[in-house]
Amino acid sequence: MTKRNKIIYWIATIWLVVGMLATGLQQLFKVELEGAQAPPGVWGIKQLGYPVYFLTIISIWKILGIIALLVPKFPLLKEWAYAGFFFLLTGAIFSHIAAGNSISEIFPSLLLLILTVVSWYFRTSDTRIFSVTQLSKSIA
């Protein structure tokens, strides 16, 4: 892995972890942010049509995913964490779209999704189950 790729990986991963931790803690403690839908607190989650207990589930998933990304080694666990973040964030984006929310309310989820993909793509070789080039060769 080149120095440039390591820098890209760590910048994306640190911002992803900070974003997931901040939103996860807000959701875990069910912070009342009236009018705020991104990240959805109690008010936002109700506006999206989900039950409030859903915040606890999402926040625990986020915190466990952060731990999985930051613990050295365990490539399969990291893949599952990236997949979980991907599913969580695409679900959030589509929930906001279905609720008719503006792009300003969709943007935080979209930004975290982009950071997830960038972090996954530039992850170190010792945390890969297989490389992207190996995958493309096996498909061809």
Side-chain angles (χ1 to χ4, degrees), residues 52-93:
V52 175
Y53 69 82
F54 203 57
L55 289 174
T56 305
I57 297 167
I58 290 172
S59 63
I60 291 171
W61 286 345
K62 287 180 178 183
I63 293 167
L64 290 174
I66 290 167
I67 293 168
L69 289 186
L70 295 179
V71 170
K73 308 293 181 198
F74 301 104
L76 185 60
L77 186 61
K78 289 182 190 309
E79 288 292 323
W80 278 90
Y82 281 120
F85 284 164
F86 183 84
F87 298 140
L88 178 76
L89 294 166
T90 53
I93 290 167

Side-chain angles (χ1 to χ4, degrees), residues 87-103:
F87 298 140
L88 178 76
L89 294 166
T90 53
I93 290 167
F94 284 105
S95 292
H96 284 290
I97 291 170
N101 294 335
S102 67
I103 189 69

Side-chain angles (χ1 to χ4, degrees), residues 112-128:
L112 286 173
L113 179 63
I114 291 167
L115 289 170
T116 299
V117 171
V118 170
S119 176
W120 173 82
Y121 184 80
F122 286 101
R123 69 199 184 284
T124 58
S125 59
D126 64 328
T127 61
R128 293 175 185 245

Side-chain angles (χ1 to χ4, degrees), residues 129-140:
I129 296 173
F130 50 82
S131 72
V132 175
T133 54
Q134 286 175 328
L135 178 63
S136 62
K137 287 178 183 176
S138 67
I139 293 173

